[in-house]
Amino acid sequence: MVVNCTVAGNIELHAGGSLAETDQCNVGNNDFDRNFAGVFLAVKNDTSGNITVTTH
C-alpha cells in the first residue's frame, strides 16, 4: 500500500488479523508491504496534515 503524507509524522497501520503497528510517514509517497487479503485495513493518521492511502 502507498501512503502519501503532506507532512512527516506517524501513522498507525492495522492490516488483516495482525496487531496494529506505528510507522513513520515521510513527506511524499511511503510504500508499506502488508498482506491484508482484502479483509481489513485501517490507517490512523497521527500526523498534523493530510494523508492519502492507495492499495495495489
Side-chain angles (χ1 to χ4, degrees):
M1 113 186 92
V2 175
V3 179
N4 183 287
C5 296
T6 57
V7 295
N10 290 328
I11 58 172
E12 186 177 300
L13 301 176
H14 188 171
S18 65
L19 297 174
E21 60 184 81
T22 300
D23 287 295
Q24 184 174 356
C25 190
N26 299 311
V27 174
N29 287 338
N30 299 264
D31 280 311
F32 297 96
D33 186 22
R34 301 293 183 273
N35 183 6
F36 58 94
V39 176
F40 177 80
L41 171 66
V43 180
K44 179 181 175 187
N45 183 2
D46 291 333
T47 73
S48 61
N50 294 326
I51 66 171
T52 302
V53 179
T54 307
T55 60
H56 54 85

